[in-house]
Amino acid sequence: MQTKISNEFKNRFGSEGTFYASAGRINLIGEHTDYNGGFVFPGAIDKVIMAEIRPNGTDKVRLFSIDINETAEFGLEEADAPKAQWARYIFGVCRETIKRGGVVKGFDAVFAGNVPLGAGLSSSAALESCFAFALNDLFNGNTIDKFELARIGQSTEHNYCGVNCGIMDQFASVFGKKGNLMRLDCRSMEYEYFPFDPKGYTLVLIDSVVKHELVDSPYNKRRESCERVARRLGIETLRDATMESLNAIKGDITAEDYFRAKFVIEEKERVLAVCDALERGDYDTVGRKMYETHDGLSKDYEVSCEELDFLNDVARQCGVTGSRIMGGGFGGCTINLVKDELYDNFIATARERFNTRYGHEPKIYPVVISDGARRVE
Ligand code: ADP
Ligand code: MG
């Protein structure tokens, strides 16, 4: 990838720049917990966006996207926003850096990536983090702290891409560290690295390639349930709820709200249990918790779908250590922790059975937990 970018950069801009990269991410466990003040547990992966960048001494940004095979050019004022969506991510990062008092001048850039687009691995966060990191290094002497780089990406999604996302994806992409997952406390924003080096196992995503509902309306309904229960308990978020406190008000809330809150409370505990298990190298427990999350998302939170439950069942039948929906639900991927000796059979079985049932093959993405945003020497 680097050679391809380098050749393209030389052809277009006649010189050499500096290479930067940032990664997509997975979330091992901790789903629908962010807006409840709970924990998420992401890690950066070995799928990246890589860019070669060089200041050009003007006030214009000139870009070439290898994967989309398009150029874009824009100035750095708010009114200069480009039309192409892919270029708006980079424009947004420039603008959000400037809005925070950072320096951005004109530059030339060529970039490419291998994070699958729209598969739930956050190619957009990889793109934002790559450029946010680069602008910090090239124009700001690395004075912008890493959390701010993540916020620059998040604000880009909010203000230039119409996506009202949380901070997890950009956080993971910026802070990612090889062989480590990061437990992020979504209430205090404190985080902690946990070694994740599952020797003898492979982490693999199986992408159902389906998307069933407009994500928004069921998502908002889940949020409203959580907020209602928290209000009834007199707390700010379900972070402070326990099963005891929930059971004490069971008679006053709807069954639906009860099961939504139950999932959130249990999921918070599961993230903590997985962290404990990782400290012991106990991947059986990690896997069991992943299945419990799947069941909770499917039965209590009701954000699964037939295809994802099907893939989860196949994982169970193939003896996979852990498997669950990753992401908001209603489609997308399952994340699976598989013993190496079972891997080939699992993948072949999942492909074949899914294809027979749904008429198309799922996509398979094995991932390794890797570094996040960085300068590439
Ligand atoms: P994801 O879940 O992968 O983040 P999004 O829809 O949020 O999906 O972001 C995908 C968008 O990010 C693409 O439509 C494109 O605009 C941009 N993007 C991601 N990867 C690349 C790439 N390699 N080259 C150009 N643009 C990219
Ligand atoms: Mg995205």
Side-chain angles (χ1 to χ4, degrees):
M1 188 193 302
Q2 195 169 355
T3 313
K4 206 163 62 177
I5 294 171
S6 168
N7 289 338
E8 201 61 61
F9 195 94
K10 240 180 243 126
N11 287 341
R12 288 176 185 271
F13 303 118
S15 60
E16 283 173 18
T18 310
F19 282 89
Y20 297 91
S22 197
R25 64 100 191 89
I26 55 95
N27 183 32
L28 189 68
I29 198 158
E31 217 62 79
H32 288 277
T33 45
D34 54 349
Y35 54 87
N36 287 298
F39 302 99
V40 291
F41 199 35
I45 57 174
D46 57 338
K47 313 237 176 304
V48 300
I49 298 278
M50 188 184 279
E52 184 174 5
I53 308 181
R54 195 185 61 140
N56 60 19
T58 75
D59 56 1
K60 289 270 185 301
V61 173
R62 297 188 293 177
L63 303 173
F64 179 64
S65 159
I66 291 183
D67 302 320
I68 295 181
N69 192 26
E70 269 180 29
T71 59
E73 184 172 327
F74 52 77
L76 291 163
E77 303 295 328
E78 197 60 33
D80 296 327
K83 287 216 173 59
Q85 182 58 46
W86 65 269
R88 290 180 71 86
Y89 286 99
I90 299 165
F91 177 75
V93 168
C94 294
R95 287 298 307 160
E96 290 297 335
T97 302
I98 292 168
K99 283 186 207 168
R100 286 167 172 75
V103 175
V104 182
K105 296 184 182 144
F107 60 85
D108 299 331
V110 171
F111 71 99
N114 57 10
V115 189
L117 275 64
L121 297 180
S122 225
S123 65
S124 63
L127 181 55
E128 291 147 9
S129 305
C130 177
F131 279 84
F133 187 95
L135 299 183
N136 190 27
D137 189 48
L138 287 168
F139 299 117
N140 296 279
N142 289 304
T143 53
I144 307 173
D145 83 57
K146 283 173 106 183
F147 246 109
E148 211 50 44
L149 296 181
R151 291 215 171 84
I152 285 170
Q154 183 193 22
S155 302
T156 295
E157 301 259 358
H158 293 179
N159 299 330
Y160 298 92
C161 308
V163 180
N164 192 17
C165 62
I167 192 73
M168 175 175 79
D169 299 353
Q170 290 78 14
F171 166 81
S173 186
V174 169
F175 284 82
K177 194 159 99 182
K178 190 176 177 200
N180 285 266
L181 296 175
M182 297 157 287
R183 187 179 70 200
L184 175 66
D185 180 332
C186 297
R187 180 168 66 181
S188 67
M189 290 293 138
E190 282 167 4
Y191 64 95
E192 194 177 334
Y193 288 96
F194 286 83
F196 181 80
D197 185 17
K199 287 204 174 51
Y201 294 86
T202 299
L203 204 51
V204 61
L205 294 143
I206 305 208
D207 184 357
S208 66
V209 209
V210 299
K211 198 81 218 158
H212 280 295
E213 303 192 35
L214 289 174
V215 182
D216 282 2
S217 83
Y219 175 81
N220 289 339
K221 276 201 192 130
R222 299 303 179 281
R223 269 187 100 124
E224 282 157 21
S225 284
C226 296
E227 286 163 9
R228 253 194 315 273
V229 176
R231 230 177 296 128
R232 179 64 190 74
L233 287 168
I235 53 181
E236 200 171 323
T237 63
L238 290 179
R239 167 66 174 271
D240 294 315
T242 60
M243 280 312 292
E244 291 75 58
S245 65
L246 178 65
N247 283 327
I249 59 154
K250 192 171 180 180
D252 307 340
I253 57 178
T254 65
E256 187 174 287
D257 284 0
Y258 175 83
F259 284 108
R260 305 297 191 245
K262 170 174 174 281
F263 168 77
V264 172
I265 294 166
E266 291 175 346
E267 184 71 354
K268 175 186 67 184
E269 293 302 323
R270 274 191 289 268
V271 178
L272 299 175
V274 162
C275 291
D276 282 348
L278 278 181
E279 290 189 319
R280 300 189 305 269
D282 175 3
Y283 287 96
D284 283 335
T285 297
V286 172
R288 205 171 57 245
K289 295 290 164 190
M290 291 169 75
Y291 278 116
E292 286 175 21
T293 292
H294 185 91
D295 289 341
L297 286 169
S298 181
K299 299 192 177 84
D300 293 340
Y301 220 62
E302 296 186 279
V303 293
S304 189
C305 60
E306 203 195 304
E307 291 88 344
L308 291 173
D309 286 343
F310 184 85
L311 287 172
N312 190 258
D313 285 342
V314 173
R316 274 178 222 264
Q317 287 154 15
C318 290
V320 168
T321 303
S323 175
R324 69 174 197 86
I325 299 164
M326 193 179 80
F330 303 111
C333 294
T334 59
I335 179 167
N336 304 271
L337 181 66
V338 195
K339 283 217 169 90
D340 288 341
E341 60 266 30
L342 300 178
Y343 183 83
D344 288 345
N345 176 61
F346 170 50
I347 297 302
T349 307
R351 274 190 204 284
E352 188 197 310
R353 288 208 210 148
F354 192 89
N355 194 11
T356 305
R357 177 76 174 258
Y358 298 108
H360 68 269
E361 286 211 348
K363 292 190 176 152
I364 313 293
Y365 305 117
V367 297
V368 176
I369 301 304
S370 302
D371 286 328
R374 60 195 182 267
R375 191 167 151 162
V376 181
E377 300 305 333

